[in-house]
Amino acid sequence: VSCKESFEEMDTEMFNKEIIQNTSIKSPEELILNYYNFSSSEGKPTFQITKNEIDKNVFEIILIHDNQQDDAQKAEKVIMIAEKIGDKWSVKKISRNWKCYDGRGHTDWGIENCN
């Protein structure tokens, strides 16, 4: 993650309410896919998911959805910090940004609108 990148901070409260009793989410990858509710009309999306355990049972999870079926936005990145406590997850932070297609706005990660 570049220190020049800007991010939009997302509210974690609603997602934490959704997952508070969900003990079926086993991995950080499952957790971020549960959060990132992509449109099924897009066909099979291209995801790259990485995880890094930054503390005991605390993970930084990064999902990049590239080559989106959108006329302006090319890719979206979601970064989640989450802790697994027993068999439940608690999300501490969610940040997101995106890239536009050439000629449709910024082609580096940022939060300005694509057009």
Side-chain angles (χ1 to χ4, degrees):
V1 177
S2 162
C3 44
K4 295 178 186 168
E5 276 184 64
S6 50
F7 289 91
E8 180 178 273
E9 299 302 322
M10 309 305 290
D11 183 20
T12 59
E13 189 177 340
M14 281 183 53
F15 185 59
N16 276 321
K17 283 180 183 173
E18 278 180 37
I19 62 168
I20 189 71
Q21 296 302 324
N22 188 342
T23 58
S24 67
I25 301 171
K26 301 297 183 206
S27 69
E29 293 87 350
E30 285 179 47
L31 179 68
I32 202 161
L33 284 171
N34 199 293
Y35 171 77
Y36 189 74
N37 193 2
F38 59 94
S39 171
S40 58
S41 65
E42 281 199 29
K44 186 159 174 46
T46 306
F47 290 144
Q48 176 187 344
I49 300 174
T50 56
K51 69 173 188 249
N52 179 28
E53 190 167 3
I54 55 177
D55 203 352
K56 184 170 173 41
N57 296 320
V58 178
F59 296 88
E60 176 188 59
I61 315 149
I62 302 172
L63 177 145
I64 296 176
H65 181 185
D66 203 359
N67 298 311
Q68 293 182 322
Q69 303 297 310
D70 186 274
D71 61 347
Q73 185 172 300
K74 179 183 187 303
E76 182 171 1
K77 181 191 308 182
V78 177
I79 300 176
M80 179 181 284
I81 306 294
E83 181 176 15
K84 189 164 189 187
I85 304 160
D87 56 0
K88 295 179 183 166
W89 288 92
S90 173
V91 176
K92 309 297 184 195
K93 183 177 181 180
I94 303 170
S95 308
R96 67 184 280 267
N97 63 10
W98 51 88
K99 290 181 183 183
C100 308
Y101 282 105
D102 281 340
R104 302 309 299 261
H106 59 95
T107 54
D108 292 326
W109 293 110
I111 58 171
E112 298 79 35
N113 287 334
C114 299
N115 49 40

